[in-house]
PDB file of all heavy atoms in Angstrom:
ATOM      1  N   VAL A   3     115.770 138.513  58.458  1.00 27.00           N
ATOM      2  CA  VAL A   3     115.152 138.711  57.143  1.00 27.00           C
ATOM      3  C   VAL A   3     115.799 137.764  56.142  1.00 27.00           C
ATOM      4  O   VAL A   3     117.013 137.560  56.149  1.00 27.00           O
ATOM      5  CB  VAL A   3     115.358 140.167  56.695  1.00 27.00           C
ATOM      6  CG1 VAL A   3     114.752 140.404  55.324  1.00 27.00           C
ATOM      7  CG2 VAL A   3     114.722 141.118  57.691  1.00 27.00           C
ATOM      8  N   THR A  56     116.539 120.579  65.926  1.00 97.00           N
ATOM      9  CA  THR A  56     115.821 120.053  67.055  1.00 97.00           C
ATOM     10  C   THR A  56     116.027 120.860  68.332  1.00 97.00           C
ATOM     11  O   THR A  56     115.103 121.048  69.160  1.00 97.00           O
ATOM     12  CB  THR A  56     116.183 118.545  67.323  1.00 97.00           C
ATOM     13  OG1 THR A  56     115.216 117.957  68.120  1.00 97.00           O
ATOM     14  CG2 THR A  56     117.569 118.392  67.922  1.00 97.00           C
ATOM     15  N   TRP A  59     113.694 123.985  68.203  1.00 97.00           N
ATOM     16  CA  TRP A  59     112.239 123.780  68.439  1.00 97.00           C
ATOM     17  C   TRP A  59     111.904 123.237  69.816  1.00 97.00           C
ATOM     18  O   TRP A  59     110.897 123.573  70.388  1.00 97.00           O
ATOM     19  CB  TRP A  59     111.693 122.821  67.351  1.00 97.00           C
ATOM     20  CG  TRP A  59     111.876 123.291  65.945  1.00 97.00           C
ATOM     21  CD1 TRP A  59     112.757 122.821  65.047  1.00 97.00           C
ATOM     22  CD2 TRP A  59     111.147 124.319  65.302  1.00 97.00           C
ATOM     23  NE1 TRP A  59     112.647 123.492  63.826  1.00 97.00           N
ATOM     24  CE2 TRP A  59     111.652 124.417  63.989  1.00 97.00           C
ATOM     25  CE3 TRP A  59     110.086 125.166  65.679  1.00 97.00           C
ATOM     26  CZ2 TRP A  59     111.177 125.318  63.054  1.00 97.00           C
ATOM     27  CZ3 TRP A  59     109.611 126.068  64.764  1.00 97.00           C
ATOM     28  CH2 TRP A  59     110.169 126.170  63.454  1.00 97.00           C
ATOM     29  N   PHE A  78     135.107 117.587  64.504  1.00 98.00           N
ATOM     30  CA  PHE A  78     135.836 117.834  63.274  1.00 98.00           C
ATOM     31  C   PHE A  78     136.904 118.887  63.400  1.00 98.00           C
ATOM     32  O   PHE A  78     137.789 118.942  62.569  1.00 98.00           O
ATOM     33  CB  PHE A  78     134.871 118.118  62.094  1.00 98.00           C
ATOM     34  CG  PHE A  78     134.160 119.418  62.228  1.00 98.00           C
ATOM     35  CD1 PHE A  78     134.743 120.622  61.795  1.00 98.00           C
ATOM     36  CD2 PHE A  78     132.866 119.537  62.725  1.00 98.00           C
ATOM     37  CE1 PHE A  78     134.081 121.828  61.856  1.00 98.00           C
ATOM     38  CE2 PHE A  78     132.217 120.731  62.811  1.00 98.00           C
ATOM     39  CZ  PHE A  78     132.809 121.882  62.384  1.00 98.00           C
ATOM     40  N   ASN A 103     125.116 128.126  67.594  1.00 98.00           N
ATOM     41  CA  ASN A 103     125.300 129.463  67.059  1.00 98.00           C
ATOM     42  C   ASN A 103     126.787 129.882  67.021  1.00 98.00           C
ATOM     43  O   ASN A 103     127.203 130.552  66.087  1.00 98.00           O
ATOM     44  CB  ASN A 103     124.459 130.469  67.812  1.00 98.00           C
ATOM     45  CG  ASN A 103     123.020 130.461  67.314  1.00 98.00           C
ATOM     46  OD1 ASN A 103     122.697 131.063  66.301  1.00 98.00           O
ATOM     47  ND2 ASN A 103     122.134 129.717  68.013  1.00 98.00           N
ATOM     48  N   SER A 144     118.315 124.818  41.259  1.00 97.00           N
ATOM     49  CA  SER A 144     118.691 123.493  40.893  1.00 97.00           C
ATOM     50  C   SER A 144     120.069 123.175  41.489  1.00 97.00           C
ATOM     51  O   SER A 144     120.872 124.120  41.699  1.00 97.00           O
ATOM     52  CB  SER A 144     118.663 123.311  39.369  1.00 97.00           C
ATOM     53  OG  SER A 144     119.892 123.681  38.827  1.00 97.00           O
ATOM     54  N   PHE A 147     123.439 117.943  43.845  1.00 98.00           N
ATOM     55  CA  PHE A 147     123.172 117.051  44.977  1.00 98.00           C
ATOM     56  C   PHE A 147     122.106 117.618  45.871  1.00 98.00           C
ATOM     57  O   PHE A 147     122.053 118.814  46.113  1.00 98.00           O
ATOM     58  CB  PHE A 147     124.475 116.871  45.842  1.00 98.00           C
ATOM     59  CG  PHE A 147     125.597 116.258  45.046  1.00 98.00           C
ATOM     60  CD1 PHE A 147     126.630 117.012  44.536  1.00 98.00           C
ATOM     61  CD2 PHE A 147     125.596 114.857  44.840  1.00 98.00           C
ATOM     62  CE1 PHE A 147     127.681 116.459  43.824  1.00 98.00           C
ATOM     63  CE2 PHE A 147     126.656 114.282  44.113  1.00 98.00           C
ATOM     64  CZ  PHE A 147     127.691 115.069  43.615  1.00 98.00           C
ATOM     65  N   ILE A 204     107.808 117.427  83.317  1.00 98.00           N
ATOM     66  CA  ILE A 204     106.861 117.254  84.415  1.00 98.00           C
ATOM     67  C   ILE A 204     107.385 117.821  85.761  1.00 98.00           C
ATOM     68  O   ILE A 204     106.624 118.574  86.430  1.00 98.00           O
ATOM     69  CB  ILE A 204     106.428 115.767  84.491  1.00 98.00           C
ATOM     70  CG1 ILE A 204     105.393 115.504  83.386  1.00 98.00           C
ATOM     71  CG2 ILE A 204     105.825 115.388  85.848  1.00 98.00           C
ATOM     72  CD1 ILE A 204     105.038 114.053  83.117  1.00 98.00           C
ATOM     73  N   LYS A 263     132.625 102.016  82.788  1.00 74.00           N
ATOM     74  CA  LYS A 263     132.992 100.601  82.749  1.00 74.00           C
ATOM     75  C   LYS A 263     132.278  99.911  81.597  1.00 74.00           C
ATOM     76  O   LYS A 263     131.053 100.043  81.409  1.00 74.00           O
ATOM     77  CB  LYS A 263     132.521  99.972  84.109  1.00 74.00           C
ATOM     78  CG  LYS A 263     133.409  98.859  84.545  1.00 74.00           C
ATOM     79  CD  LYS A 263     133.254  98.560  86.028  1.00 74.00           C
ATOM     80  CE  LYS A 263     131.881  98.680  86.611  1.00 74.00           C
ATOM     81  NZ  LYS A 263     131.299  97.528  87.235  1.00 74.00           N
ATOM     82  N   LYS A 325      99.836 102.404  94.937  1.00 98.00           N
ATOM     83  CA  LYS A 325      99.000 102.284  93.731  1.00 98.00           C
ATOM     84  C   LYS A 325      99.625 103.125  92.612  1.00 98.00           C
ATOM     85  O   LYS A 325      99.669 102.737  91.444  1.00 98.00           O
ATOM     86  CB  LYS A 325      97.575 102.778  94.009  1.00 98.00           C
ATOM     87  CG  LYS A 325      96.759 101.729  94.688  1.00 98.00           C
ATOM     88  CD  LYS A 325      95.259 102.120  94.614  1.00 98.00           C
ATOM     89  CE  LYS A 325      94.516 101.459  95.777  1.00 98.00           C
ATOM     90  NZ  LYS A 325      93.825 102.357  96.637  1.00 98.00           N
ATOM     91  N   LEU A 330     103.131 103.576  87.684  1.00 98.00           N
ATOM     92  CA  LEU A 330     104.341 104.125  87.063  1.00 98.00           C
ATOM     93  C   LEU A 330     105.347 103.083  86.662  1.00 98.00           C
ATOM     94  O   LEU A 330     106.370 103.380  85.967  1.00 98.00           O
ATOM     95  CB  LEU A 330     105.021 105.121  88.031  1.00 98.00           C
ATOM     96  CG  LEU A 330     104.300 106.471  88.255  1.00 98.00           C
ATOM     97  CD1 LEU A 330     104.969 107.203  89.455  1.00 98.00           C
ATOM     98  CD2 LEU A 330     104.466 107.345  86.982  1.00 98.00           C
ATOM     99  N   PRO A 332     106.822 100.310  84.512  1.00 98.00           N
ATOM    100  CA  PRO A 332     106.666  99.713  83.192  1.00 98.00           C
ATOM    101  C   PRO A 332     106.798  98.190  83.223  1.00 98.00           C
ATOM    102  O   PRO A 332     107.396  97.641  84.183  1.00 98.00           O
ATOM    103  CB  PRO A 332     107.872 100.323  82.401  1.00 98.00           C
ATOM    104  CG  PRO A 332     108.411 101.385  83.250  1.00 98.00           C
ATOM    105  CD  PRO A 332     108.051 101.053  84.674  1.00 98.00           C
ATOM    106  N   SER A 444     122.088 106.175  63.609  1.00 97.00           N
ATOM    107  CA  SER A 444     121.377 107.406  63.981  1.00 97.00           C
ATOM    108  C   SER A 444     120.897 107.472  65.406  1.00 97.00           C
ATOM    109  O   SER A 444     121.718 107.555  66.368  1.00 97.00           O
ATOM    110  CB  SER A 444     120.204 107.615  63.029  1.00 97.00           C
ATOM    111  OG  SER A 444     119.305 106.487  63.058  1.00 97.00           O
ATOM    112  N   ASP A 483     117.924  96.133  48.873  1.00 97.00           N
ATOM    113  CA  ASP A 483     117.052  95.026  49.406  1.00 97.00           C
ATOM    114  C   ASP A 483     117.807  94.217  50.459  1.00 97.00           C
ATOM    115  O   ASP A 483     117.292  93.913  51.527  1.00 97.00           O
ATOM    116  CB  ASP A 483     116.611  94.085  48.270  1.00 97.00           C
ATOM    117  CG  ASP A 483     115.567  94.743  47.344  1.00 97.00           C
ATOM    118  OD1 ASP A 483     115.092  95.866  47.772  1.00 97.00           O
ATOM    119  OD2 ASP A 483     115.269  94.195  46.305  1.00 97.00           O
ATOM    120  N   ALA A 535     135.992 101.110  50.079  1.00 98.00           N
ATOM    121  CA  ALA A 535     137.263 100.386  49.645  1.00 98.00           C
ATOM    122  C   ALA A 535     136.994  99.535  48.422  1.00 98.00           C
ATOM    123  O   ALA A 535     137.909  99.314  47.621  1.00 98.00           O
ATOM    124  CB  ALA A 535     137.742  99.538  50.811  1.00 98.00           C
TER     125      ALA A 535
END
Side-chain angles (χ1 to χ4, degrees):
V3 178
T56 196
W59 299 106
F78 69 84
N103 277 281
S144 87
F147 298 100
I204 282 168
K263 211 161 39 121
K325 281 194 203 123
L330 287 168
S444 57
D483 288 349

